[in-house]
């Protein structure tokens, strides 16, 4: 069964370059989807690539990193036909909610003795 490697890319990243690098590395046009908004020149975009083994996964992962990927997700037992934008976004949202994010540093006050005999009433 194939898997989907999805990535969220930075605003300044060029989706045409990503497509070109995927195709020159052996992926077919039918093996990937680039999800664009209407204003695709100034917004983030997402891409999904169908991978069949660890070698293809690593190759696609390397190409994603060369094209300024912010975050990648691997969805097992999913084909490119199942990788509609809404479906992939739903899975990414679910994984994001399940992740434990780091919390800000918590400052603890040192223990003190409270009021002592030096306080006068």
């Amino acid at each position: 069964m194939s898997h989907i490697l999805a990535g969220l890319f930075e605003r300044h990243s060029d989706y045409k370059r990503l497509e070109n690098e995927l195709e020159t590395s052996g992926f077919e046009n039918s093996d990937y989807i680039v999800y664009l908004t209407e204003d695709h020149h100034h917004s983030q975009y997402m891409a999904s690539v169908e991978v069949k083994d660890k070698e293809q996964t690593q190759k696609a992962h390397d190409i994603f990193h060369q094209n300024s990927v912010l975050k990648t997700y691997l969805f097992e037992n999913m084909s490119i036909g199942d990788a509609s934008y809404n479906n992939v976004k739903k899975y990414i949202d679910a994984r994001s909610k399940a992740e434990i994010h780091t919390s800000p540093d918590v400052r603890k006050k040192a223990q003190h003795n409270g009021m002592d005999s030096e306080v006068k009433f």
Side-chain angles (χ1 to χ4, degrees):
M1 185 74 181
S2 59
H3 309 304
I4 294 294
L5 181 68
L8 178 64
F9 292 84
E10 291 186 11
R11 295 182 192 281
H12 71 275
S13 180
D14 182 15
Y15 74 92
K16 287 289 190 186
R17 179 178 164 218
L18 173 70
E19 290 175 343
N20 187 29
E21 288 182 14
L22 285 170
E23 288 182 12
T24 57
S25 68
F27 292 99
E28 298 292 324
N29 190 23
S30 60
D31 291 337
Y32 67 88
I33 300 172
V34 177
Y35 311 96
L36 300 172
T37 61
E38 300 227 359
D39 184 26
H40 59 81
H41 295 293
H42 302 292
S43 63
Q44 291 180 330
Y45 65 93
M46 196 169 63
S48 296
V49 179
E50 184 175 45
V51 292
K52 295 181 178 25
D53 55 24
K54 288 184 180 188
E55 182 182 321
Q56 278 190 336
T57 304
Q58 187 60 44
K59 191 185 303 184
H61 197 269
D62 292 343
I63 292 170
F64 277 14
H65 278 285
Q66 292 169 2
N67 286 278
S68 304
V69 72
L70 296 172
K71 183 112 176 152
T72 59
Y73 302 90
L74 182 64
F75 301 110
E76 297 179 350
N77 301 324
M78 182 186 279
S79 68
I80 199 71
D82 300 327
S84 69
Y85 176 77
N86 290 330
N87 199 18
V88 172
K89 188 171 181 328
K90 179 178 71 172
Y91 282 114
I92 288 173
D93 288 344
R95 283 209 185 156
S96 293
K97 288 178 185 175
E99 286 182 359
I100 299 173
H101 299 283
T102 58
S103 62
D105 291 337
V106 177
R107 294 184 184 176
K108 295 180 182 177
K109 289 188 173 183
Q111 186 176 6
H112 57 82
N113 294 333
M115 296 172 64
D116 57 9
S117 62
E118 293 180 15
V119 177
K120 299 187 182 201
F121 292 99

